[in-house]
Amino acid sequence: MIVAVDGPAAAGKGTIARRLADRFGYAYLDTGALYRAVALSLLRAGADPADPEAAARTARNLHLPDTADPGIRTPEVGLAASVVAAIPRVRATLLDLQRNFARRPPDGRPGAVLDGRDIGTVICPGADRKIFVTATPEVRARRRHLELLGRGEHSIYSSVLADLRERDARDANRVDAPLRRSRDAMVLDTSFITADEAFRRACAFVESAQ
């Protein structure tokens, strides 16, 4: 069983994907964390995230445990990850890793939940269930702003909104695997519903395929 969860930043897809994996006993992969880990490694090395050679080389040396580094969650790394994710050679390098995870979930799990930007359209177009999680830019920026404040980080809402819109534009307009809703995906708008209600709808959708 493969469940693809896509959507823009801060729409709530990660929370929903993790809860689905826990609910059904599936393996979970945050594919965005792969690009963030590559971006973090580049920044720490003083390299340019837009350098295709350096980015592709870093991606080839990536290991899943690298995604557990808390440093990948900073706004700076998030923006760099969006730049890295637009590099075709990086996406090609990480493609097999993601597909292998979906087809052969670790620890003998009966399924996998992957969340990202292109899971249902590129990584796993044949996924059993596809969910496109979205919300208005203003709602997503407010969530991210509060998240940063909750971690004790400095944050200005207007700056978060501007950065988010910039990232949305980059993700949607990149040549390789742009952010798109798969035509057979369920659209889940979380703008004005609770996290529990969003999960309930996603859960019912996945259950209907079992």
Side-chain angles (χ1 to χ4, degrees):
M1 183 73 167
I2 299 175
V3 180
V5 183
D6 291 307
K13 65 182 181 297
T15 299
I16 290 171
R18 282 190 294 272
R19 290 184 67 178
L20 287 174
D22 289 341
R23 167 67 177 80
F24 297 106
Y26 297 162
Y28 168 66
L29 179 62
D30 173 3
T31 65
L34 300 176
Y35 297 97
R36 282 175 170 267
V38 172
L40 177 61
S41 181
L42 288 166
L43 292 175
R44 285 178 173 171
D48 182 359
D51 181 343
E53 293 291 337
R57 183 170 59 252
T58 302
R60 285 195 297 271
N61 295 323
L62 181 71
H63 301 288
L64 282 179
D66 296 335
T67 63
D69 190 319
I72 69 172
R73 296 301 171 187
T74 67
E76 178 187 18
V77 171
L79 289 176
S82 185
V83 174
V84 166
I87 300 174
R89 289 173 59 188
V90 172
R91 302 198 71 84
T93 298
L94 298 178
L95 180 65
D96 287 342
L97 186 157
Q98 296 171 75
R99 285 181 172 169
N100 287 336
F101 185 97
R103 293 168 181 166
R104 289 178 287 277
D107 304 322
R109 297 295 182 93
V113 181
L114 290 79
D115 82 62
R117 301 289 194 283
D118 62 346
I119 310 304
T121 54
V122 176
I123 305 301
C124 300
D128 300 280
R129 277 292 182 257
K130 301 176 184 178
I131 303 172
F132 190 85
V133 184
T134 188
T136 66
E138 293 77 13
V139 167
R140 291 187 288 123
R142 184 168 64 251
R143 290 173 181 167
R144 181 57 52 82
H145 172 61
L146 293 175
E147 176 188 352
L148 293 172
L149 292 178
R151 295 206 302 254
E153 299 180 27
H154 175 71
S155 179
I156 300 174
Y157 170 78
S158 59
S159 297
V160 173
L161 178 59
D163 289 344
L164 188 145
R165 282 177 167 157
E166 178 184 341
R167 183 174 180 182
D168 283 352
R170 186 183 299 116
D171 288 346
N173 296 316
R174 66 190 181 209
V175 175
D176 191 42
L179 172 64
R180 293 285 188 275
R181 178 180 70 83
S182 179
R183 286 183 294 180
D184 55 345
M186 178 186 83
V187 177
L188 182 55
D189 191 327
T190 66
S191 298
F192 306 108
I193 61 175
T194 65
D196 286 342
E197 175 60 17
F199 173 66
R200 187 192 66 76
R201 296 182 188 182
C203 195
F205 183 62
V206 172
E207 284 179 333
S208 69
Q210 294 183 317

